[in-house]
Amino acid sequence: MNTKLQPIFDTHKGKDGALLPILHDIQHALGYVPEEAVPLIAKQLNLSRAEVHGVITYYHHFRQTPPGKHVVQLCCAEACQANGSEALAAHAAKRLQGADVTLEPVYCLGLCSIGPAVLIGEDELHAHVTPQKFDALMNGLGVKK
Amino acid sequence: MSITIYIPGDAAALAMGADAVADAITAEAMQRNIKIDIVRNGSRGLFWLEPLVEVVTAQGRVAYGPVTKADVPELFAAKFLQGDKHALRLGDIETLPYLAKQQRVSLRRVGIVDPRSLSDYLAQGGGKGLARARKLAPAAIVQQVTDSGLRGRGGAAFPTGIKWKTVLDTTATQKYIVCNADEGDSGTFSDRMLMEGDPYCLLEGMAIAGLAVGANKGYIYVRSEYPHAIAALNAALKDAGDWLGDFSIEVRMGAGAYVCGEETALLESIEGRRGIVRSKPPLPAISGLFGQPTVINNVITFASVPDILAQGAAFYRDLGVGRSRGTLPFQLAGNIKFGGLVEIPFGATLRELLYDYGGGSRSGRPLRAVQVGGPLGAYLPESQFDTVLDYEAFAAVGAVLGHGGIVAFDDTVDMAKQARYAMQFCALESCGKCTPCRIGSTRGVEVIDRIRAGATEQIPLLRDLCDTMTYGSMCAMGGMTPYPVLSALNHFAEDFSAVKAPLPQAGEGLG
């Protein structure tokens, strides 16, 4: 773990308020922030383990367990609700049952005129996502029914 | 000679398939041995036309849209590179009433300029505000901003000049400029469009703020849900060279906490802690980031400043009505036919936005409720659609303009359910520091569940709870969650009377 984290620590050396940038880089590299990283981060930043744990668990974005092969985020905020995101969410949960996909709600992707909106991975966006379009996207990713 | 083609790289355009269109155009041009130069501009903000392709021709920029990759061979066959006729041809996009009627100030270059090019930004009139600010004394810059009447565009509408003057008057050696780009309100995307479509404008506004108050370091706190905005800002910063002088800017990524849009929670987050709201006083202007005097403003606030400096305070002050001066980029969202960005001076009515620009609902059904100002804003019924878009006029009807987000719902909406969602969202996103917000929101969900199950005698209890949250919460999270709840209750009482949903079992319901 230390060899994986050291380059990240080096990047942010001397940075004020470096904890979030470090956590982002770890999650970007590993897909999540592993438990065993916590004491190393704490030591690096002269924080208590509780402080680091507190930050990781406070923010919705950080995960403590590895995600599925794909991460699919579905916008569930008002503007997408107005265009049927609830029905889409129900459909998606059913479609992805047993699949190696992490399905998460997200509260606004800033695509509020063209919802329902979906984010796949870190930056792949889709607009006007109907249940049919959602299935096509999942089929495209090779997610089995 | 190569032909310049604009294909937006804005997140909304990407979500509509702009990358595939760009790839198809590149491939088709190569096959036909035509030299083209593709610029990934921002979006014009007419999202039903995305992906919107603009070709630079002898007649000027000629737009086609919405283009799919399947249209591309046909467009080439129709000689769209010369601006010739095709079913998707829109001509000069700026002559479309939707754009022609607008008066864009802060987003004037978005969709026009190449966001990855400082030289294009300067060629399009950018940089003049900063150049003028460099010739002025700090107090004179602040005076310009004060005289313009600019108020914070994040939602609270606090006079920007007063905030800047407070920071200017402090004597600290280290001061900071912080941009709040944690645009978490549903129905809002103007910050995102500006950052993706004209990032240098934001950098310029922040650098002017730095000169005005004596700060040499700035942070832009962008939400993690906006990866494309973060990339655009970082690219712009890399390319800015010494244009910003000794003012340095760092982009910080949020981590999915809505409450970090509250200014003190945002500062905590930059400092590397949980985004917990701070007690005020002290104001951030006195003791903000790392305990130092800090100007913290929204993206659009900073983006309005370059023009105020370049064209003079009077130009901005002369737009608008009452105490709402200048323009506000409204964002038409939700169930709306022509959703997009409408930047106009304050003073029009909500109805004009919804029907003259928005064209009514997307579903074709009557509009029943419109939430203005994000998840903490009130729902307005049809009888209030003639309210003037002005901070004070909205306050007078118990609503807020906020950041200018407008989310339309048709008549299939269940307003008791929307009220429940407001409480649920507050429970999910509360930072937990104060009791009314942390516990009140959860109790609010439960009370609304009981009301929806038929216990209408609990409506006074819900009102009482809202009262406690409004007056007892530390910040707008708990303090304004009652806006959507009470407006739903007041204007759509019929949705709270019939038995709509069985009571959830223990442990169910909060997601």
Side-chain angles (χ1 to χ4, degrees):
Chain A
M1 187 53 62
N2 216 346
T3 51
K4 281 183 191 159
L5 300 191
Q6 200 54 52
I8 293 173
F9 292 153
D10 291 344
T11 310
H12 299 290
K13 215 168 186 81
K15 185 174 272 182
D16 291 327
L19 182 51
L20 264 77
I22 286 174
L23 293 174
H24 276 300
D25 282 2
I26 293 173
Q27 181 152 310
H28 183 74
L30 307 175
Y32 69 115
V33 183
E35 185 66 45
E36 56 269 36
V38 173
L40 300 172
I41 302 166
K43 185 160 182 264
Q44 182 69 27
L45 296 177
N46 198 23
L47 296 170
S48 72
R49 285 162 61 183
E51 284 169 307
V52 177
H53 177 81
V55 168
I56 295 169
T57 51
Y58 180 83
Y59 293 97
H60 301 304
H61 180 79
F62 297 124
R63 45 180 122 253
Q64 296 173 279
T65 51
K69 189 175 171 204
H70 302 285
V71 176
V72 175
Q73 292 185 311
L74 235 150
C75 183
C76 292
E78 292 92 333
C80 283
Q81 288 170 18
N83 285 314
S85 66
E86 269 179 297
L88 177 65
H91 172 83
K94 219 168 132 192
R95 169 67 177 82
L96 295 177
Q97 236 165 31
D100 189 15
V101 174
T102 300
L103 178 68
E104 293 173 341
V106 62
Y107 293 90
C108 200
L109 295 168
L111 306 176
C112 315
S113 307
I114 49 176
V118 165
L119 173 66
I120 300 176
E122 289 192 347
D123 57 9
E124 186 190 322
L125 295 165
H126 297 277
H128 293 311
V129 183
T130 57
Q132 295 74 24
K133 185 169 175 180
F134 185 83
D135 287 349
L137 288 170
M138 292 305 111
N139 293 343
L141 289 176
V143 178
K144 287 202 182 73
K145 264 188 200 167
Chain B
M1 213 187 80
S2 69
I3 299 166
T4 303
I5 304 176
Y6 288 87
I7 306 171
D10 172 277
L14 297 179
M16 299 288 276
D19 274 348
V21 171
D23 290 347
I25 288 178
T26 305
E28 189 75 23
M30 203 180 282
Q31 204 185 0
R32 291 169 181 257
N33 212 10
I34 304 170
K35 274 193 193 154
I36 57 163
D37 183 15
I38 293 180
V39 176
R40 302 307 297 268
N41 55 332
S43 171
R44 298 275 194 163
L46 289 68
F47 294 125
W48 69 98
L49 296 176
E50 293 290 357
L52 181 85
V53 176
E54 285 181 271
V55 185
V56 179
T57 71
Q59 326 147 45
R61 275 163 81 151
V62 178
Y64 297 83
V67 178
T68 65
K69 64 177 178 184
D71 298 320
V72 170
E74 212 183 276
L75 281 167
F76 272 88
K79 295 202 170 60
F80 87 120
L81 292 180
Q82 278 101 63
D84 283 4
K85 270 189 197 147
H86 183 274
L88 297 177
R89 188 181 188 278
L90 299 160
D92 178 358
I93 191 80
E94 289 179 26
T95 62
L96 258 63
Y98 198 90
L99 264 182
K101 284 192 295 177
Q102 296 191 31
Q103 204 165 343
R104 290 196 173 179
V105 177
S106 25
L107 279 90
R108 70 163 76 237
R109 270 178 302 267
V110 174
I112 298 171
V113 76
D114 177 357
R116 296 287 158 102
S117 164
L118 176 59
S119 58
D120 195 31
Y121 177 71
L122 299 174
Q124 304 272 0
K128 287 181 187 159
L130 182 57
R132 171 139 189 261
R134 283 181 170 141
K135 292 183 200 139
L136 293 176
I141 303 174
V142 172
Q143 195 59 47
Q144 284 288 305
V145 174
T146 305
D147 291 346
S148 76
L150 177 65
R151 293 163 72 181
R153 296 290 186 246
F158 186 82
T160 306
I162 292 177
K163 192 183 273 189
W164 288 22
K165 183 163 191 315
T166 309
V167 178
L168 171 64
D169 289 345
T170 62
T171 53
T173 48
Q174 179 69 62
K175 300 175 185 179
Y176 294 103
I177 307 297
V178 174
C179 175
N180 183 346
D182 195 51
E183 187 180 49
D185 288 357
S186 175
T188 64
F189 44 78
S190 60
D191 294 354
R192 181 185 66 65
M193 281 182 65
L194 189 282
M195 291 187 282
E196 292 173 358
D198 193 14
Y200 289 104
C201 180
L202 172 57
L203 306 187
E204 183 178 350
M206 291 178 69
I208 293 170
L211 290 172
V213 304
N216 63 4
K217 172 91 190 165
Y219 288 92
I220 309 175
Y221 185 91
V222 192
R223 54 205 299 269
S224 54
E225 293 86 346
Y226 281 2
H228 302 280
I230 292 170
L233 288 170
N234 279 324
L237 280 170
K238 213 172 145 197
D239 219 33
D242 57 3
W243 175 59
L244 297 174
D246 62 359
F247 187 74
S248 70
I249 298 178
E250 198 182 311
V251 177
R252 285 292 175 92
M253 201 200 300
Y258 175 77
V259 78
C260 285
E262 195 285 331
E263 59 181 9
T264 60
L266 187 152
L267 297 175
E268 287 288 305
S269 189
I270 295 180
E271 290 183 20
R273 287 191 287 275
R274 295 181 295 149
I276 305 276
V277 173
R278 293 178 185 170
S279 304
K280 286 194 269 194
L283 295 169
I286 305 290
S287 174
L289 189 63
F290 302 110
Q292 302 302 315
T294 302
V295 166
I296 176 163
N297 280 130
N298 168 258
V299 174
I300 302 298
T301 313
F302 283 123
S304 304
V305 169
D307 256 22
I308 290 169
L309 266 290
Q311 303 198 48
F315 140 79
Y316 199 78
R317 188 199 56 215
D318 290 348
L319 301 168
V321 290
R323 293 203 292 122
S324 305
R325 311 312 309 176
T327 60
L328 187 66
F330 293 97
Q331 300 123 87
L332 284 177
N335 192 339
I336 195 97
K337 195 168 176 191
F338 302 120
L341 186 109
V342 180
E343 181 173 356
I344 48 174
F346 295 92
T349 66
L350 181 58
R351 191 182 298 278
E352 284 174 67
L353 273 183
L354 292 170
Y355 294 98
D356 296 357
Y357 287 93
S361 73
R362 193 202 294 177
S363 61
R365 302 182 67 93
L367 291 178
R368 179 162 183 246
V370 176
Q371 189 177 30
V372 182
L376 307 176
Y379 285 96
L380 282 80
E382 211 271 340
S383 61
Q384 291 184 334
F385 286 179
D386 290 312
T387 308
V388 172
L389 299 162
D390 155 52
Y391 292 120
E392 279 66 42
F394 263 63
V397 297
V400 291
L401 268 190
H403 186 48
I406 294 175
V407 179
F409 291 81
D410 71 14
D411 61 352
T412 59
V413 68
D414 174 351
M415 293 307 295
K417 200 163 126 195
Q418 294 308 120
R420 181 190 193 277
Y421 171 79
M423 284 291 190
Q424 186 191 10
F425 185 68
C426 183
L428 191 67
E429 296 295 337
S430 173
C431 84
K433 183 156 178 167
C434 72
T435 316
C437 176
R438 183 184 69 245
I439 296 180
S441 53
T442 297
R443 294 289 96 85
V445 172
E446 294 165 358
V447 174
I448 295 173
D449 277 341
R450 288 198 289 272
I451 295 169
R452 291 181 78 210
T456 48
E457 73 281 3
Q458 300 227 338
I459 288 175
L461 184 65
L462 179 61
R463 289 188 182 278
D464 198 38
L465 176 65
C466 284
D467 192 66
T468 302
M469 290 175 73
T470 302
Y471 297 104
S473 299
M474 277 184 68
C475 80
M477 181 85 242
M480 287 178 64
T481 291
Y483 273 79
V485 176
L486 291 176
S487 59
L489 197 53
N490 291 338
H491 303 304
F492 305 94
E494 62 274 24
D495 288 17
F496 290 80
S497 54
V499 178
K500 284 269 168 42
L503 204 58
Q505 298 301 300
E508 202 187 312
L510 273 187

